[in-house]
Amino acid sequence: MRACAWQSWFFLPLLGLLTACPAPVVEIDPKGPMQVWAAGSLERIRPEDPARPNQPLELFAARGETESFQIVLGGPKGVKGASLEVSDLRGPGGAIIGQNHLTLYRQHYVQVWEPSPSLEASNRSQGVGWYPDALIPFSAPGGRFRAIPVDINPGRNQPFWVDISVPREAAPGQYSGTYRVTAQNGTLEGSLRLTVWNFELPQRPSLLSFVPLWNTKTKAARLELLKHRLMPGRVEPTEVRELVNDYGLNSIDLGFWSGANAQTCRARPAPSVAELAAARAAHQSEVPIYNFAFDELDVCPHNLLPDIRAWANNLRAANVLHLSTLHPRPELLEDGNGRPLVDIFAINAEMYEEARRTGLWEAAQARGSSFWYYTALLNRKTPYAPQWLLDYSPLNWRISSGFLAYNLGFSGILGWAADFYDTSRGQDPWTDVRYFNAGRAYNGDGLWFYPGQEVGLPGSIVPSIRAKWLRDGIEDYEYLKLLRERGLHLRVGTVAEEMARSMRDWQRDPALLEAARRRIGEALHQSR
């Protein structure tokens, strides 16, 4: 692993000269013309993409939802000292969505010089090159990287990202606003319109999740996850009430780990019932409390069923749910009292297809188990399923936490890490997004958030665009849940089902997803 990292760093300067590196390397003419245009959130803007006409942008959102868009700036002779402003959004009867509900970021490009593995023609890596991913908040003080002002190379793009967090008290109707980019080159403006629908998304997400922090285990980092509707799992007991009431925390992991995974194949003794009960009492809340104990044991040569049973019995006696990434095998569906040994099966696409084919999905649900979706690396048996790799298309992220999760019956998602980077090899995640396994690079795997100290936010993290896509999928999940609860699913026909019918059959076209979301939103809006 170390040798591979050294070789990549040796060639990195040469690759920067041979590819469309966004870093300033040529002279910028501050008197040159500028070009600005707006784009939706599901596009990935590459440095060399051609400029488009500057047309008004149309957005739609529910109350309590965060809707995003992009502003792209460039110029044939470069741009010097660029910045961006977005106005208040003014709506019906003098209503205002103020700038305090807007979050602005500069998109930071990272280089993929070794594509992630691809095994399926319909869903594969988009190849080497520069990818916009890390998002530097305008509010960050700056350090090694800063948001604004920014210089832009001739013929290259600099995209910005804008989140609009629609207030829960916002009046429904149309809101209008403007954006303005300024630089030494001059000033350009554009317009946008946001339609706020007459329904509200819950503060506490319906889709459960567990995305643990590895390198920045602070309250600031946990809050950043929660802003993106992702759950850190482990929280301090003193934080529980605040995080549940004010930030939408919807589940808690107690953090007792068995030590048993595909590498170790060995489990520690189960904690005592008293120890588990005390931890549960310290985290007392109305949200589900679980414990993630075992991870992918199918390759282990010896039987760990007695260990799983011991952990499950003690967890159940302490009124703690048992979550593990295990196949729902028949022996795991009976604890001797008609209940399963695993309350929450976190399974990947291969496990899902096997469980549906054998009937174990239905059998586990009948016993009271639920299912969460996860993916890591690239499963050779199901390469067509949505992948959480940086160089795969945006819908891999959004569809998996939204239409696919809802349509296939998952109640949560699990990511193995939110902010993993390999400190043992000196990995700098701001320039090197590779996660290595068996000598292959899996770009961005386990790295959904970047360390904040590089932008002046020590002890915190900043999001990737991929985290935004997951958040938007979780909000799509709410749309679908509301649609079903209000009995409106027949009104929109099969539009929701057609977005994701199976792990293989899901839409890859962002325009189709946006059309489906708008049709569902209009149905919910008109039902009130």
Side-chain angles (χ1 to χ4, degrees):
M1 186 179 294
R2 288 183 180 274
C4 185
W6 180 86
Q7 291 167 3
S8 296
W9 276 110
F10 179 81
F11 287 110
L12 180 57
L14 177 60
L15 285 169
L17 295 175
L18 296 177
T19 57
C21 179
V25 294
V26 294
E27 185 176 353
I28 294 171
D29 180 359
K31 297 181 180 180
M34 296 191 300
Q35 300 159 317
V36 68
W37 43 281
S41 61
L42 276 171
E43 295 187 61
R44 179 178 271 146
I45 309 300
R46 297 298 189 97
E48 67 279 6
D49 286 348
R52 304 178 194 172
N54 184 12
Q55 297 179 339
L57 187 66
E58 289 278 346
L59 302 169
F60 302 84
R63 299 192 302 272
E65 182 176 11
T66 299
E67 179 67 347
S68 305
F69 64 97
Q70 302 178 79
I71 302 299
V72 188
L73 179 62
K77 296 184 178 181
V79 181
K80 192 72 174 177
S83 187
L84 168 71
E85 296 176 347
V86 181
S87 73
D88 293 342
L89 305 181
R90 299 185 177 276
I96 296 176
I97 298 177
Q99 294 182 39
N100 59 314
H101 293 283
L102 308 179
T103 307
L104 279 61
Y105 305 87
R106 179 174 72 81
Q107 298 181 29
H108 170 83
Y109 281 96
V110 295
Q111 190 176 24
V112 170
W113 60 89
E114 180 182 356
S116 300
S118 296
L119 299 172
E120 172 72 21
S122 66
N123 192 37
R124 59 188 302 107
S125 167
Q126 296 183 332
V128 300
W130 292 91
Y131 286 72
D133 194 53
L135 295 173
I136 305 174
F138 279 25
S139 59
R144 180 179 165 203
F145 304 104
R146 66 180 182 185
I148 51 171
V150 61
D151 296 340
I152 307 170
N153 275 355
R156 294 293 180 257
N157 295 316
Q158 174 57 67
F160 299 94
W161 185 279
V162 182
D163 278 346
I164 305 174
S165 298
V166 181
R168 298 186 177 280
E169 67 276 9
Q174 291 187 343
Y175 291 72
S176 298
T178 60
Y179 59 85
R180 179 172 62 186
V181 293
T182 58
Q184 293 183 28
N185 307 55
T187 301
L188 291 176
E189 294 187 348
S191 64
L192 64 131
R193 185 168 65 183
L194 169 70
T195 297
V196 175
W197 282 318
N198 190 27
F199 65 95
E200 183 176 339
L201 302 189
Q203 181 188 44
R204 194 179 301 168
S206 300
L207 187 74
L208 304 176
S209 59
F210 177 31
V211 189
L213 293 158
W214 284 61
N215 286 303
T216 310
K217 301 178 181 180
T218 63
K219 183 177 180 181
R222 290 190 282 275
L223 291 178
E224 190 64 31
L225 284 179
L226 288 165
K227 282 169 54 179
H228 293 82
R229 296 182 172 265
L230 296 168
M231 304 298 126
R234 300 166 194 176
V235 300
E236 295 297 325
T238 55
E239 300 172 350
V240 170
R241 178 174 296 181
E242 176 190 9
L243 299 188
V244 169
N245 293 339
D246 299 338
Y247 294 96
L249 182 73
N250 68 9
S251 54
I252 298 170
D253 172 45
L254 287 187
F256 293 91
W257 170 235
S258 73
N261 58 26
Q263 286 72 46
T264 65
C265 292
R266 185 180 300 275
R268 304 186 186 106
S272 68
V273 174
E275 187 177 8
L276 291 166
R280 191 193 192 290
H283 290 82
Q284 187 62 43
S285 174
E286 70 270 24
V287 304
I289 296 178
Y290 62 87
N291 192 84
F292 179 32
F294 297 89
D295 184 29
E296 296 184 337
L297 303 181
D298 293 287
V299 300
C300 293
H302 55 276
N303 184 11
L304 287 169
L305 182 60
D307 301 282
I308 296 172
R309 187 176 296 278
W311 275 76
N313 288 341
N314 286 9
L315 287 167
R316 181 150 293 151
N319 196 27
V320 177
L321 298 172
H322 173 204
L323 182 152
S324 286
T325 55
L326 300 172
H327 280 80
R329 305 294 190 198
E331 62 269 21
L332 298 178
L333 302 186
E334 178 55 62
D335 68 350
N337 295 302
R339 297 179 63 183
L341 293 174
V342 180
D343 299 295
I344 304 169
F345 286 97
I347 61 176
N348 62 22
E350 179 190 354
M351 296 175 181
Y352 167 80
E353 291 187 341
E354 178 186 329
R356 296 308 298 261
R357 184 174 59 252
T358 60
L360 289 172
W361 173 280
E362 292 81 1
Q365 286 187 326
R367 294 290 182 97
S369 294
S370 60
F371 290 91
W372 291 12
Y373 178 66
Y374 84 96
T375 181
L377 305 179
L378 177 69
N379 189 306
R380 297 186 64 85
K381 294 184 178 180
T382 55
Y384 42 79
Q387 308 298 328
W388 290 343
L389 297 169
L390 184 149
D391 46 328
Y392 276 64
S393 69
L395 280 193
N396 280 269
W397 298 78
R398 182 160 178 178
I399 204 94
S400 58
S401 58
F403 285 89
L404 183 135
Y406 187 86
N407 289 351
L408 272 57
F410 290 100
S411 59
I413 58 172
L414 182 147
W416 70 268
D419 66 333
F420 180 83
Y421 49 95
D422 191 350
T423 55
S424 69
R425 69 177 178 90
Q427 182 184 7
D428 175 8
W430 285 88
T431 60
D432 180 5
V433 294
R434 297 168 298 169
Y435 176 81
F436 286 106
N437 182 270
R440 297 298 303 272
Y442 296 83
N443 293 293
D445 204 27
L447 178 65
W448 301 357
F449 292 80
Y450 289 75
Q453 63 264 25
E454 300 297 335
V455 299
L457 297 173
S460 190
I461 54 177
V462 298
S464 67
I465 294 176
R466 294 167 291 137
K468 303 293 184 182
W469 292 330
L470 281 173
R471 177 207 64 197
D472 293 347
I474 292 168
E475 292 178 340
D476 293 340
Y477 192 98
E478 301 290 1
Y479 276 54
L480 297 170
K481 186 172 183 289
L482 286 171
L483 194 73
R484 178 69 62 171
E485 289 174 350
R486 296 184 184 180
L488 301 172
H489 53 287
L490 297 178
R491 182 182 298 182
V492 298
T494 61
V495 63
E497 290 81 1
E498 289 172 350
M499 289 306 304
R501 296 185 182 275
S502 69
M503 290 292 178
R504 183 186 293 274
D505 182 7
W506 51 277
Q507 291 290 348
R508 271 70 166 176
D509 185 351
L512 292 178
L513 186 145
E514 292 290 3
R517 172 183 172 274
R518 182 170 176 182
R519 186 170 177 186
I520 294 167
E522 292 286 359
L524 291 168
H525 171 74
Q526 294 169 8
S527 70
R528 296 302 294 264

